[in-house]
């Protein structure tokens, strides 16, 4: 599992559509789809039930979702801690 896959997984779970999830993550729809497929292959299970209009989490997807969100939050916190430690100014004015 890669951090980028987790970002795509969370976006797709929240948006319930590949098109919108791709827009949110600023990746092509085919790139998002390939990353999700690769994640499902890594885990050897389907994470989403796909229909022509939307996707929904499977039981495995629902089990992964809170952990994926926590992982992304921890990665962001780690990035922020390093930024603070080296004194880099961040934020928006």
């Amino acid at each position: 599992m890669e951090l980028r896959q987790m970002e795509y997984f969370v976006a797709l779970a929240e948006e319930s559509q590949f098109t919108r999830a791709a827009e949110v993550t600023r990746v092509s729809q085919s790139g998002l789809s390939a990353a999700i497929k690769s994640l499902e292959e890594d885990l050897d299970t389907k994470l989403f039930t796909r229909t022509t209009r939307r996707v929904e989490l499977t039981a495995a997807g629902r089990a992964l979702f809170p952990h994926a969100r926590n992982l992304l939050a921890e990665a962001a916190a780690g990035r922020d801690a390093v930024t603070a430690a080296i004194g880099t100014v961040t934020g928006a004015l």
Side-chain angles (χ1 to χ4, degrees):
M1 287 187 285
E2 298 175 14
L3 192 57
R4 179 82 48 202
Q5 290 173 320
M6 293 295 106
E7 289 177 32
Y8 296 167
F9 168 76
V10 169
L12 184 55
E14 291 176 345
E15 298 297 329
S16 300
Q17 287 187 348
F18 277 92
T19 303
R20 288 198 315 238
E23 290 171 0
V24 167
T25 57
R26 297 181 183 173
V27 66
S28 68
Q29 186 173 340
S30 62
L32 179 83
S33 181
I36 295 297
K37 181 179 179 183
S38 176
L39 178 60
E40 290 177 327
E41 288 172 358
D42 288 350
L43 296 173
D44 197 30
T45 190
K46 292 289 183 188
L47 299 171
F48 296 95
T49 301
R50 295 151 173 87
T51 66
T52 55
R53 298 203 176 219
R54 57 184 294 128
V55 294
E56 294 180 358
L57 289 169
T58 62
R62 287 190 300 276
L64 177 60
F65 184 71
H67 299 286
R69 287 184 69 182
N70 289 338
L71 178 65
L72 294 176
E74 287 296 320
R79 189 176 321 117
D80 293 346
V82 168
T83 300
I86 62 174
T88 303
V89 177
T90 62
L93 294 176

